Amino acid sequence: MEEGRQERAEAAPPEEEQRVARRRRRSRRRWALGTAALVAAGGVAVAATLGLGGGSGADPAASTLPPNTTKVTKQTLKDTQDADGELGYGPSSSATSRQKGTVTALPESGATVSRGRAMYEVDNDPVTLMYGTQPAYRPMEIGTEGKDVKQLEENLSALGYTGFTVDDEFTYDTYEAVLEWQDDRGLEETGKVELGSVVFAPGAIRVDGLEIGEGEPISPGKKLYSYTGTDRAVTVELETSDQRLAKEGATVDVTLPGEETVQGKIDEVSTKIVPATQGEEASTTIEVVIWMTGAKARKAVEKLSSAAVDVSFTSETRADVLTVPVTALLALQEGGFGVEVVNGTTTSYVPVETGLFAGGRVEISGQGIAEGTVVGVPK
């Protein structure tokens, strides 16, 4: 009887043997469920969907090696986003009169004015530029105290006047220094700094556009001209949903015409509201002012009066993390993600935790995942 069974097996047609072999292969691979599209923050990847039968650990060794492999690498990931910017001199301010009289002198458009110089003249008396962030808002004389007094004394000291202590008190010593300054400026020597005789700005200014001409009358509140700073700056308008990108003090990359990239620093972030008009809805954007930092950046832009530039913002950085290409991620049927770890001629599926997605790569961590680990990349 045994001989009969052997004879029947030997006599089995080749087609039957092939069907048996195919059924065995399908049995070994019955857990493989094909491929699915994986959409992840920061990129879109094609990954395998794996049914692990509810298991929580690594899957038993796969029967075949993946078509492509890559290594887990340690690197710094940056979540970046590009935006259009305009190179110029930054936002403008207005030189506004606090006095009544006649304009007798004005600078030319494009001219620069530095500390101690006249911004304009009213009735032949110069209105002097001094540096500071606190606007002038009152007369200053003996007994006056405050931040504006300290700014005044800092400027007098920078201009070479001495004999007083730089603090927030206008003393008799300050009075004597003011007398000397008024004498040098050709002003009436009163020892008192009248409102409108000095203007405080953060630094030197550049005249942007005149609003009035010499010989015209002015009164308090009259605008004479607009001005900007003298340093080059980039202005970017972002959607409100991208406000996370704009952090004061953060460094950005600015790509200039000619593809040269330099660094800038975010100096100011403000909300810009455009009221509704006929046929147009109101809009809100985030205005970001970026100053060029470093000698390289300043030299690169010194010959450009204005230009369209590209600005690359970095919203998040993860230093020295383990990463793989996003395409190496596998979507697990039970939820979450995994990777196919290759060990010699065998592989196993390992669940992983994902972190930052950036530049086509993703931060991962998991049991047995280390720098240099070989993982599969599905087709």
Side-chain angles (χ1 to χ4, degrees):
M1 179 177 288
E2 181 67 27
E3 292 177 356
R5 284 197 297 270
Q6 182 175 355
E7 289 174 358
R8 285 193 298 272
E10 291 175 352
E15 292 82 0
E16 180 64 23
E17 292 180 358
Q18 292 173 4
R19 284 195 293 272
V20 171
R22 282 197 295 271
R23 283 197 298 271
R24 289 173 179 169
R25 286 196 296 271
R26 284 198 297 269
S27 176
R28 286 197 300 269
R29 299 174 185 171
R30 61 181 176 272
W31 49 267
L33 301 179
T35 61
L38 166 64
V39 179
V44 178
V46 177
T49 302
L50 305 177
L52 297 184
S56 59
D59 198 70
S63 60
T64 57
L65 294 176
N68 301 293
T69 61
T70 188
K71 290 184 178 180
V72 176
T73 61
K74 181 178 288 187
Q75 64 186 95
T76 297
L77 289 185
K78 292 184 178 182
D79 179 16
T80 62
Q81 183 169 322
D82 293 340
D84 295 332
E86 183 69 28
L87 175 67
Y89 290 90
S92 64
S93 301
S94 296
T96 304
S97 175
R98 303 302 299 269
Q99 302 170 321
K100 182 179 180 180
T102 300
V103 178
T104 52
L106 281 170
E108 295 181 356
S109 182
T112 59
V113 182
S114 57
R115 187 198 330 250
R117 301 295 182 179
M119 293 183 63
Y120 54 91
E121 292 184 6
V122 178
D123 297 339
N124 288 329
D125 288 337
V127 175
T128 304
L129 174 65
M130 292 188 176
Y131 296 168
T133 57
Q134 173 70 56
Y137 65 97
R138 59 178 176 174
M140 288 178 278
E141 57 189 331
I142 293 177
T144 307
E145 297 182 7
K147 182 178 178 180
D148 51 345
V149 173
K150 186 176 182 179
Q151 283 185 166
L152 172 68
E153 292 178 337
E154 288 172 340
N155 281 272
L156 291 173
S157 178
L159 292 169
Y161 298 97
T162 59
F164 59 91
T165 301
V166 176
D167 54 21
D168 59 1
E169 296 183 16
F170 196 118
T171 64
Y172 184 80
D173 291 336
T174 309
Y175 164 83
E176 289 193 320
V178 169
L179 284 175
E180 186 178 355
W181 169 70
Q182 289 175 330
D183 181 40
D184 292 341
R185 298 295 290 157
L187 298 169
E188 182 182 359
E189 297 173 43
T190 63
K192 176 181 178 180
V193 180
E194 296 288 353
L195 179 61
S197 62
V198 299
V199 174
F200 290 111
I205 66 169
R206 173 184 174 274
V207 179
D208 196 34
L210 298 175
E211 300 286 336
I212 198 171
E214 293 181 4
E216 295 188 36
I218 59 169
S219 58
K222 180 70 173 181
K223 181 178 177 181
L224 289 91
Y225 59 80
S226 60
Y227 64 86
T228 66
T230 57
D231 292 332
R232 309 309 303 279
V234 170
T235 303
V236 178
E237 287 193 6
L238 297 174
E239 299 292 335
T240 54
S241 59
D242 292 328
Q243 187 168 5
R244 63 186 176 82
L245 300 173
K247 300 176 182 178
E248 289 187 12
T251 299
V252 299
D253 291 328
V254 179
T255 303
L256 305 171
E259 301 303 315
E260 182 177 6
T261 299
V262 296
Q263 284 193 330
K265 184 177 181 181
I266 297 177
D267 179 73
E268 184 180 344
V269 180
S270 59
T271 301
K272 183 178 179 181
I273 301 175
V274 179
T277 59
Q278 187 174 4
E280 296 288 339
E281 295 183 355
S283 63
T284 302
T285 58
I286 305 301
E287 185 176 74
V288 184
V289 178
I290 302 161
W291 296 106
M292 299 294 95
T293 58
K296 177 185 176 182
R298 289 192 290 269
K299 184 177 180 180
V301 302
E302 64 183 3
K303 295 182 179 180
L304 297 172
S305 57
S306 63
V309 299
D310 293 324
V311 180
S312 180
F313 294 87
T314 300
S315 63
E316 185 178 357
T317 300
R318 297 282 291 166
D320 298 327
V321 294
L322 299 176
T323 74
V324 294
V326 174
T327 51
L329 281 184
L330 307 171
L332 306 181
Q333 188 178 48
E334 62 185 24
F337 303 118
V339 292
E340 184 178 9
V341 175
V342 179
N343 185 12
T345 59
T346 63
T347 70
S348 59
Y349 296 97
V350 177
V352 295
E353 294 291 332
T354 60
L356 179 65
F357 287 78
R361 299 188 71 85
V362 57
E363 173 190 357
I364 64 168
S365 61
Q367 185 176 3
I369 302 298
E371 185 177 10
T373 300
V374 178
V375 298
V377 180
K379 286 185 178 179

